[in-house]
Amino acid sequence: MTQEETDWKELVLRTKQKLEEANEFIQKVTAPPFLTGIVVNYNKASESADVSVDGKIFEVNYIPGVSKRLKSGVSVRLNPETKVIMDVRKSNRTGVLTTVSEVLSNSTAIVEEAGVKRVILTTAKVSEGDRVIVDEGFHVVIKNLGKKSTQYHLQETPFVPWSKIGGLESVISSIRECVEEPFVHRKIYERYGKIAPKGVLLYGPSGCGKTLLAKGIAYNLAERLREEHTEKSNNLNAKSNGYFISVKGPELLNKYVGNSEDRIREIFSRARDSSKQRGDVTVLFFDEAESLLKNRGSGISSDIYDSIVAQFLSEMDGMDNNENMVVVLATNRPDIIDPAVLRPGRIDRKIRVGRPNHRAVEDIFNIYLSGMPIYDGKHTTASLATYARDRLFSDEYPLFEVHFNEGNHSIVRLGHLTSGAMIKSISGLAAGKAIKREIKSGKEGLMEKDLSDSVIDTYQGYRAIASIGSDDLLDFFSKRYNSIKHIARCN
């Protein structure tokens, strides 16, 4: 064969290949587009599947090569004429976003669409409050996105044994009597017609340990239940973890109608899920509760609080069949919380957390100073705690003059407004002074002067910002409270 014939043959072959490619391209661009849908049910025995396309269900067949990849919730391509499944798409992230309102079984759940409740199939484990993507026809869950990310979190109980809380022995005793005992000895209480409380209100001045007590309730209740389970089961590995959700009231307030109510609903849902699924007690703590649950119709709240309070009451009433939740409210203004919140059957235990007395102040200093190195052998942690207490209650630090109708007056000093938070701050300031001195001169350990100077620093700061409430005045001047004429800040 000549070179000319060879070249001619190669040209013909290349031209034929180009024509075939062109024909293939023309077929692709002129073919009708594929349909896409979501598999709702897959029946291997009948070699068919129920597919949701644009919200409508079609029973279709499939080509043999895709059978191994078919399952509920996957996205597929269908022949537009025969409706046969031709391929399984790699991923599908489109659909309708909604929230599970109730789980019916391992394979079905209820979601709400435009006010109408729909029963749908679930391809994965879901729980109440989960955000899910469903197909446009609301037939099947495509993807579970989990709970919405929020500022409140479910956590295991923080380590706060009662021994770590100083100066609140009477309060702790009340908590153990009205919360711990009914939970731990539930059956005994039930025989006498008494049940574990749904909730407790901790009220009193700011900084006096309400948040710490809430954590203590969660930890110690879980520990008591664990010990009880261990004793009854004779199993050293028996465990009751307990869970803790902490929420600040102002964080739930939202200017958009319905958002605050949704958040309350979600918080209770999360607590309910944890207690049901794990079987452990869940403590739900609302700090600054007065900002969220203001008294309705009193003139101190707007209409938005009416629905917020109503939603909270609804969730509290919904706890009737749940034995593993405790709601703890903390406030320094119990007088403005809606009375319906505090009625029996809801938050029906009320415990005042007051300011620590002389002995309690010393106990708290002992806790915060424990473990710190001491400068010389003259002192111990206990003696430094006594010294710090005496400095704090010294007459040298006046804050307010309280004048009475009789013409005389009394002085409110720094020691009167002592709180656990103040003692913690003073201890921290003293430690900081000791650290700086050791770095600079090598002198190791805490001195009396560190504590004395820290009390003075605290006093200087409090002179401008300290406030005194009616509860404090009633404590300090119980017999002369009604004779108070006016209060003046000391210069």
Side-chain angles (χ1 to χ4, degrees):
M1 183 181 292
T2 64
Q3 183 63 40
E4 183 179 350
E5 289 175 332
T6 301
D7 292 343
W8 176 254
K9 186 176 181 179
E10 289 180 355
L11 178 60
V12 171
L13 290 174
R14 287 198 301 271
T15 302
K16 185 179 179 180
Q17 184 179 356
K18 292 291 184 182
L19 285 172
E20 289 176 349
E21 291 175 354
N23 285 331
E24 184 179 349
F25 176 75
I26 290 170
Q27 288 178 1
K28 285 184 178 180
V29 298
T30 58
F34 281 107
L35 294 176
T36 61
I38 302 296
V39 175
V40 177
N41 282 315
Y42 164 51
N43 191 329
K44 188 175 181 179
S46 64
E47 296 185 346
S48 64
D50 294 334
V51 179
S52 172
V53 180
D54 296 330
K56 297 180 180 179
I57 295 290
F58 296 91
E59 184 179 357
V60 302
N61 298 116
Y62 50 85
I63 63 174
V66 302
S67 60
K68 293 182 179 180
R69 292 182 289 162
L70 286 181
K71 61 181 180 178
S72 296
V74 300
S75 177
V76 293
R77 292 188 179 93
L78 300 95
N79 183 295
E81 296 178 355
T82 63
K83 300 294 190 300
V84 172
I85 297 175
M86 307 298 293
D87 190 18
V88 176
R89 301 176 68 193
K90 289 184 178 180
S91 64
N92 181 79
R93 297 185 180 277
T94 62
V96 180
L97 181 64
T98 185
T99 303
V100 175
S101 58
E102 184 179 350
V103 177
L104 297 179
S105 68
N106 291 334
S107 60
T108 56
I110 294 177
V111 298
E112 195 165 313
E113 175 204 6
V116 178
K117 291 185 176 180
R118 303 284 297 269
V119 178
I120 64 172
L121 296 173
T122 58
T123 58
K125 184 177 180 180
V126 298
S127 59
E128 184 179 330
D130 282 348
R131 296 179 304 153
V132 293
I133 297 176
V134 303
D135 67 291
E136 294 181 358
F138 281 77
H139 298 114
V140 62
V141 170
I142 299 171
K143 187 176 181 63
N144 184 357
L145 302 179
K147 298 287 192 301
K148 184 178 179 182
S149 178
T150 60
Q151 293 174 299
Y152 41 86
H153 305 281
L154 179 71
Q155 63 183 70
E156 289 196 9
T157 55
F159 181 73
V160 186
W162 293 132
S163 60
K164 293 293 183 181
I165 303 178
L168 293 171
E169 286 78 10
S170 62
V171 173
I172 292 172
S173 177
S174 297
I175 290 173
R176 300 191 71 171
E177 180 180 348
C178 72
V179 179
E180 278 189 25
E181 296 301 322
F183 264 90
V184 175
H185 304 293
R186 188 187 301 276
K187 291 184 179 180
I188 296 177
Y189 274 73
E190 287 176 351
R191 290 206 301 269
Y192 290 86
K194 298 176 73 67
I195 60 175
K198 290 183 182 180
V200 60
L201 174 72
L202 303 177
Y203 68 97
S206 299
C208 289
K210 296 185 290 294
T211 300
L212 194 62
L213 286 166
K215 294 178 179 179
I217 291 173
Y219 175 79
N220 291 282
L221 182 54
E223 283 295 294
R224 289 284 303 277
L225 290 173
R226 182 188 64 78
E227 292 170 1
E228 185 76 6
H229 294 164
T230 301
E231 183 178 335
K232 288 184 177 180
S233 64
N234 294 319
N235 179 7
L236 295 178
N237 294 319
K239 187 177 182 182
S240 178
N241 287 320
Y243 292 88
F244 185 70
I245 300 178
S246 179
V247 185
K248 284 190 177 293
E251 292 178 354
L252 297 184
L253 296 177
N254 191 288
K255 64 181 179 181
Y256 296 107
V257 176
N259 280 15
S260 297
E261 294 88 331
D262 286 344
R263 292 178 178 182
I264 292 172
R265 190 159 41 243
E266 185 178 346
I267 291 168
F268 273 89
S269 173
R270 181 168 295 190
R272 196 174 294 115
D273 282 349
S274 68
S275 60
K276 283 182 178 179
Q277 293 174 11
R278 300 172 176 88
D280 299 321
V281 66
T282 299
V283 172
L284 180 49
F285 175 54
F286 288 87
D287 198 8
E288 301 178 51
E290 75 283 354
S291 64
L292 188 69
L293 304 172
K294 285 191 172 87
N295 192 359
R296 294 168 292 179
S298 62
I300 60 173
S301 66
S302 60
D303 292 341
I304 188 175
Y305 288 97
D306 292 355
S307 57
I308 291 174
V309 172
Q311 183 63 50
F312 183 86
L313 297 179
S314 175
E315 297 296 337
M316 289 293 300
D317 292 341
M319 290 171 59
D320 284 342
N321 298 321
N322 193 306
E323 298 182 339
N324 296 308
M325 285 173 60
V326 180
V327 177
V328 180
L329 304 185
T331 181
N332 58 0
R333 289 296 309 276
D335 54 306
I336 63 174
I337 291 182
D338 193 285
V341 175
L342 305 178
R343 77 158 176 79
R346 290 171 180 154
I347 307 295
D348 50 6
R349 305 292 197 277
K350 306 166 190 66
I351 300 174
R352 186 169 191 275
V353 185
R355 298 190 182 278
N357 56 26
H358 283 63
R359 179 180 175 181
V361 167
E362 187 172 338
D363 290 343
I364 299 171
F365 266 122
N366 254 312
I367 290 173
Y368 285 119
L369 298 180
S370 178
M372 291 188 190
I374 299 172
Y375 175 65
D376 55 39
K378 298 178 181 178
H379 290 289
T380 62
T381 297
S383 65
L384 284 178
T386 303
Y387 175 80
R389 178 206 63 186
D390 292 343
R391 295 305 302 156
L392 194 54
F393 282 100
S394 169
D395 292 341
E396 301 173 28
Y397 310 118
L399 292 173
F400 298 98
E401 287 184 355
V402 179
H403 294 262
F404 299 95
N405 291 326
E406 296 80 5
N408 54 356
H409 72 275
S410 291
I411 302 296
V412 174
R413 295 181 169 81
L414 183 64
H416 288 98
L417 300 183
T418 300
S419 66
M422 181 192 293
I423 297 170
K424 181 179 180 180
S425 174
I426 291 172
S427 301
L429 288 171
K433 294 178 187 298
I435 290 169
K436 288 181 180 179
R437 182 177 56 253
E438 184 172 343
I439 292 173
K440 185 176 181 179
S441 65
K443 293 182 179 179
E444 177 186 348
L446 199 65
M447 299 181 177
E448 284 186 346
K449 188 176 187 305
D450 298 326
L451 290 164
S452 179
D453 289 347
S454 297
V455 171
I456 293 172
D457 291 345
T458 300
Y459 171 65
Q460 295 298 335
Y462 263 69
R463 288 182 68 183
I465 65 170
S467 60
I468 186 168
S470 57
D471 282 352
D472 283 328
L473 291 171
L474 192 58
D475 279 348
F476 306 154
F477 310 107
S478 56
K479 295 181 179 180
R480 306 179 65 190
Y481 178 77
N482 293 326
S483 296
I484 294 175
K485 184 177 182 181
H486 70 274
I487 302 170
R489 193 179 294 273
C490 295
N491 294 325

